[in-house]
Amino acid sequence: MKLIRFGEFGKEKPGIVMNSKWYDLSSFCTDFNESFFEQNGLEKLQSFLATNPLLPEVDQTIRLGSPVARPSKIICIGLNYIDHCRETNAPIPEEPIIFFKSTSALCGPNDQLIIPRNSEKTDWEVELAFVMSQKASYVEEAEALNYVAGYCLHNDYSERAFQLERGGQWAKGKGCDSFAPLGPWLATTDEIVDVNNLNMWLTVNGKTFQNSNTLNLVFKIPFLVHYISQFMTLLPGDIISTGTPPGVGLGIKPDPKYIKAGDEIELGIEGLGTSKQLAVAYK
């Protein structure tokens, strides 16, 4: 299944993509949120669809929101592609680097990117994200995929000066409004044949900067679920973003490149669709 949320920001309705058309699932549930996943919503939805309900079709000019309503946590993994470590002159981690994005950064896949006030180094990062289907604590790696609802395209926008030059943790450069566009859809695990072999790319104003494959992840999804669950309880609907491959603006030699107002950033992952954000200055 490919799950979507559509409508105005903060007023999104649940939907589904079937045969390239969008359908309204408001008759089945109110939202794709923690409660939905916790109450076996995916399994119940499959049974509901098997009855061939007559669902209202949705106009595809309507805005898409994040395919998951605001989660309890957005957890990100830093430096999780070997070549990305090299381009940023960072050592390959011996254990996953964990940081958080604020849930208020979450937005739709095609919403505008708001360049923060006083930003000079806003950067892009195409990433594979996954969503938890149930509560997880001290999960064994062999059982980890049983806790995953599905996968999403994510752009982990980062303000590098805030992140690296202002002291403290990375969160200051990661949690700005609009810095976590997610979607267009949540693809359930059965939709993706091999999550460890998905092509991924990102362009800025039509020029390709990132072009890689999830084969190059240092730490794979089962290990990440296992590892993170040793330190905190993961809740249904939580989003975990697995890191970005080479090609970020920070890594461009000799002069890093950063996003300016008017730039158009487009990205995609095989099987997970594409998204596009127009950069605008904060007002």
Side-chain angles (χ1 to χ4, degrees):
M1 296 181 290
K2 295 177 180 176
L3 306 185
I4 58 172
R5 295 172 66 248
F6 62 93
E8 296 178 33
F9 187 88
K11 299 179 180 179
E12 293 92 345
K13 296 180 179 180
I16 190 168
V17 180
M18 295 188 296
N19 300 318
S20 300
K21 294 182 178 181
W22 299 0
Y23 294 96
D24 188 340
L25 283 175
S26 297
S27 61
F28 173 75
C29 65
T30 57
D31 212 344
F32 300 135
N33 52 19
E34 180 178 344
S35 177
F36 170 83
F37 294 106
E38 186 174 38
Q39 297 175 17
N40 297 318
L42 291 177
E43 184 177 335
K44 292 176 181 177
L45 178 54
Q46 285 182 321
S47 298
F48 173 75
L49 294 173
T51 67
N52 297 309
L54 185 61
L55 299 173
E57 189 172 346
V58 177
D59 183 346
Q60 295 193 22
T61 63
I62 294 176
R63 170 189 175 270
L64 286 177
S66 160
V68 179
R70 186 180 295 181
S72 80
K73 297 182 283 297
I74 302 174
I75 304 168
C76 298
I77 308 301
L79 300 173
N80 201 25
Y81 284 76
I82 294 174
D83 289 349
H84 180 50
C85 297
R86 291 172 179 159
E87 76 170 346
T88 55
N89 296 315
I92 297 171
E94 295 183 5
E95 296 188 34
I97 296 170
I98 298 174
F99 63 91
F100 293 89
K101 292 181 82 80
S102 63
T103 57
S104 56
L106 194 63
C107 63
N110 303 310
D111 288 348
Q112 291 181 335
L113 165 66
I114 302 170
I115 300 175
R117 180 183 290 174
N118 300 319
S119 167
E120 297 179 352
K121 298 181 179 180
T122 294
D123 203 350
W124 57 81
E125 296 188 27
V126 60
E127 300 199 5
L128 167 69
F130 63 94
V131 177
M132 300 300 296
S133 63
Q134 56 183 301
K135 185 176 179 180
S137 183
Y138 299 107
V139 173
E140 295 296 330
E141 186 174 353
E143 302 295 325
L145 290 182
N146 295 330
Y147 293 79
V148 175
Y151 310 105
C152 298
L153 171 66
H154 175 224
N155 196 340
D156 174 23
Y157 281 114
S158 308
E159 211 300 338
R160 301 301 189 188
F162 297 177
Q163 176 190 359
L164 303 172
E165 301 170 20
R166 301 287 295 272
Q169 299 180 340
W170 288 3
K172 285 184 284 190
K174 296 287 189 173
C176 305
D177 291 352
S178 79
F179 268 30
L182 193 73
W185 54 68
L186 166 66
T188 52
T189 55
D190 58 295
E191 290 277 339
I192 304 299
V193 175
D194 184 1
V195 73
N196 294 315
N197 187 15
L198 301 178
N199 293 320
M200 57 199 308
W201 54 270
L202 181 144
T203 66
V204 180
N205 300 326
K207 180 179 178 180
T208 298
F209 285 91
Q210 294 187 279
N211 188 11
S212 189
N213 189 289
T214 56
L215 282 169
N216 300 318
L217 283 165
V218 178
F219 303 107
K220 309 293 187 184
I221 289 173
F223 181 78
L224 292 175
V225 174
H226 158 73
Y227 184 85
I228 298 169
S229 74
Q230 309 303 304
F231 302 100
M232 66 194 78
T233 296
L234 297 169
L235 297 179
D238 278 358
I239 297 166
I240 295 93
S241 199
T242 60
T244 199
V248 299
L250 174 67
I252 296 174
K253 303 292 191 302
D255 299 312
K257 176 181 174 63
Y258 298 109
I259 296 168
K260 306 297 183 186
D263 287 347
E264 189 172 74
I265 302 91
E266 188 167 6
L267 58 152
I269 297 179
E270 186 179 356
L272 300 180
T274 64
S275 68
K276 184 184 295 185
Q277 298 92 45
L278 175 67
V280 298
Y282 174 85
K283 293 182 182 180

